[in-house]
Amino acid sequence: MYNSKRLTLARERRGLTKKALAELAGITARTLSTYENTENISSLDETTFLRVVRTLGYPIEFYQQKDIECVSPDSVSFRALTTLSAGKRNAAIGAGTLALELDKWMGKKFKQRHHNLLDFRSDDYVDPQTAAMLLRDHWSLGELSISNMVHLLEKNGVRVFSLAENCLEVDAFSFWKDNVPFALLNTMKSHERSRFDAAHELGHLVLHKHGSNKGREAEEQADKFASAFLMPEGSVLAAVRPYASLDDIIRLKKFWKVSAAALIRRSYDLGIFTEWHYRQLYIELSKRYGRRTEPSPIEEREESIVLAKVISSLRSSGAQRDSIVREIGIPSDELAALTFDNSFFRLRLVNNERPTIKSKSSRQAPDLRLVRS
């Protein structure tokens, strides 16, 4: 028995249309559509189906499992929805679905934390800044700087995974599934941006749990929450002078581990800077460093400690990567992408290329050779 829904998921994760995958596998688009819309693929030509399987690079065990529990598109908010293609959106949501599968597998082998988040979606509206302060109090953070956002989320029961490289247009996203909060973070952003993304998604989780988290208003609320959560009002008011220079901002930003732009904006929102001074700092920041360069950047990226411990436990028990891949049914490159590129799952390829489809015009599947460690 092969599961057609899983075939659709694998195709979307590879960022392929039905037509593109059919061309790569050397079959007709009509045949592929039949496979994706037939409940029992095994009733069709198995040899042809296996050509599709080899093209996608997912283990055969992936297609032999029950219906996969998919992330609902309605539960996910994307900041760049107007510019995000359907293919990129589906690929990102597919990453969330694979994260659910991996989390379910880990839950059978390891004890996991229950969440310790608050729910601010109620009749009495709580503004984002107040929500950030209340959650900080709930977690006994006071005015302290947060040393590691990912570890903090995991300590309080949020399942944190990383996004694959084919989701570069997606900053991050989060969702609830059966009262379990999930957050997926794009590791290709700057370290400061990733921390802000993590706080932004935390904002969605606590502000929009039972309601829609879509639209500009929801994104603005999550941004305000993130700013207040990372840079609490009291500590910013105590440290930032009304006419602070850009060099002062670059020095101070290291305390909160945020970008210079974020600290400038937070200082303006708190009334420390006038509009004129706020704009002058932004102009100087842009002239000196451009839009993509962060001054005095954070050197070490924040990664999941939970996933690292799980994989360390697997190593200690003598588990082999190939057997784990078959058991979970998710290919190594996808597992590496979800686990912050952990070396246990990372494929060492002779040409250092990732095992993804490289050309939509070629009919050949990627020719990959593994180099055993």
Side-chain angles (χ1 to χ4, degrees):
M1 291 287 291
Y2 299 122
N3 193 307
S4 59
K5 293 181 180 178
R6 287 176 173 268
L7 173 58
T8 300
L9 173 61
R11 175 178 60 78
E12 290 179 345
R13 279 298 302 138
R14 295 309 192 196
L16 295 170
T17 63
K18 291 180 182 179
K19 179 181 178 182
L21 176 56
E23 289 179 354
L24 286 166
I27 64 176
T28 66
R30 183 175 180 178
T31 298
L32 182 61
S33 292
T34 300
Y35 287 152
E36 291 198 16
N37 293 302
T38 299
E39 185 173 348
N40 181 9
I41 298 178
S42 300
S43 64
L44 304 174
D45 180 53
E46 185 172 13
T47 301
T48 303
F49 173 66
L50 291 178
R51 290 166 63 183
V52 178
V53 170
R54 287 194 296 271
T55 302
L56 290 171
Y58 274 61
I60 194 67
E61 290 83 2
F62 177 79
Y63 305 96
Q64 294 172 333
Q65 300 179 41
K66 296 184 295 184
D67 281 355
I68 198 163
E69 190 174 15
C70 296
V71 175
S72 170
D74 293 335
S75 67
V76 176
S77 175
F78 294 113
R79 266 167 272 183
L81 186 59
T82 56
T83 58
L84 191 64
S85 69
K88 294 294 184 182
R89 183 192 65 233
N90 292 338
I93 293 175
T97 296
L98 294 181
L100 285 177
E101 286 282 283
L102 178 54
D103 183 71
K104 187 187 301 181
W105 179 84
M106 291 193 301
K108 295 176 182 178
K109 298 179 177 295
F110 303 91
K111 185 177 180 180
Q112 297 175 293
R113 291 177 181 266
H114 295 292
H115 83 79
N116 185 30
L117 273 61
L118 298 177
D119 180 8
F120 295 109
R121 180 73 179 185
S122 63
D123 293 335
D124 298 324
Y125 175 72
V126 177
D127 67 85
Q129 293 90 335
T130 301
M133 179 190 69
L134 292 173
L135 187 60
R136 269 183 159 269
D137 288 343
H138 181 61
W139 288 350
S140 301
L141 298 175
E143 295 281 328
L144 296 175
S145 172
I146 297 170
S147 60
N148 191 304
M149 269 300 303
V150 173
H151 294 179
L152 179 64
L153 291 178
E154 292 184 319
K155 178 182 177 181
N156 290 283
V158 180
R159 311 291 200 263
V160 183
F161 296 90
S162 52
L163 277 171
E165 291 184 17
N166 64 350
C167 296
L168 284 175
E169 290 82 355
V170 182
D171 289 318
F173 67 92
S174 57
F175 57 91
W176 286 88
K177 188 68 174 181
D178 298 330
N179 205 37
V180 177
F182 287 80
L184 279 84
L185 307 177
N186 192 325
T187 58
M188 302 302 290
K189 306 294 182 180
S190 70
H191 300 356
E192 289 85 354
R193 182 66 199 186
S194 290
R195 277 173 58 86
F196 195 91
D197 285 345
H200 177 102
E201 297 309 323
L202 176 61
H204 276 310
L205 290 171
V206 299
L207 293 171
H208 308 125
K209 180 177 180 180
H210 300 303
S212 172
N213 61 345
K214 296 180 181 297
R216 177 173 295 183
E217 182 179 3
E219 294 304 321
E220 290 177 351
Q221 290 172 355
D223 272 344
K224 290 178 180 178
F225 175 93
S227 183
F229 190 79
L230 289 171
M231 297 168 281
E233 180 176 353
S235 62
V236 176
L237 289 174
V240 182
R241 297 182 294 108
Y243 292 100
S245 67
L246 181 58
D247 289 333
D248 291 333
I249 294 295
I250 293 172
R251 174 177 55 82
L252 290 169
K253 83 181 189 75
K254 298 177 183 177
F255 174 75
W256 295 284
K257 295 185 177 181
V258 297
S259 67
L263 181 54
I264 292 171
R265 178 69 198 197
R266 178 64 170 155
S267 300
Y268 171 68
D269 289 340
L270 290 174
I272 300 174
F273 295 157
T274 64
E275 183 174 357
W276 180 88
H277 188 57
Y278 159 72
R279 294 187 182 280
Q280 291 301 116
L281 285 174
Y282 259 122
I283 291 172
E284 184 179 357
L285 178 65
S286 180
K287 285 183 177 179
R288 284 172 59 176
Y289 298 98
R291 289 191 167 188
R292 301 192 175 212
T293 303
E294 178 64 35
S296 296
I298 298 173
E299 295 182 0
E300 187 175 353
R301 180 173 295 281
E302 297 180 359
E303 299 181 354
S304 167
I305 191 172
V306 170
L307 295 172
K309 286 183 176 181
V310 166
I311 294 171
S312 177
S313 177
L314 293 174
R315 287 181 184 272
S316 299
S317 66
Q320 298 298 311
R321 180 183 63 195
D322 291 346
S323 63
I324 295 297
V325 167
R326 286 193 298 271
E327 185 177 345
I328 304 175
I330 299 176
S332 288
D333 68 301
E334 291 283 23
L335 291 172
L338 288 170
T339 58
F340 295 84
D341 201 26
N342 191 283
S343 59
F344 181 74
F345 292 120
R346 189 188 310 133
L347 292 173
R348 293 180 57 205
L349 308 177
V350 294
N351 56 358
N352 292 323
E353 294 177 358
R354 295 185 66 85
T356 54
I357 307 300
K358 294 185 292 183
S359 171
K360 293 187 178 182
S361 60
S362 172
R363 290 181 178 269
Q364 300 297 322
D367 181 17
L368 305 175
R369 290 185 291 124
L370 301 184
V371 178
R372 299 296 182 186
S373 301

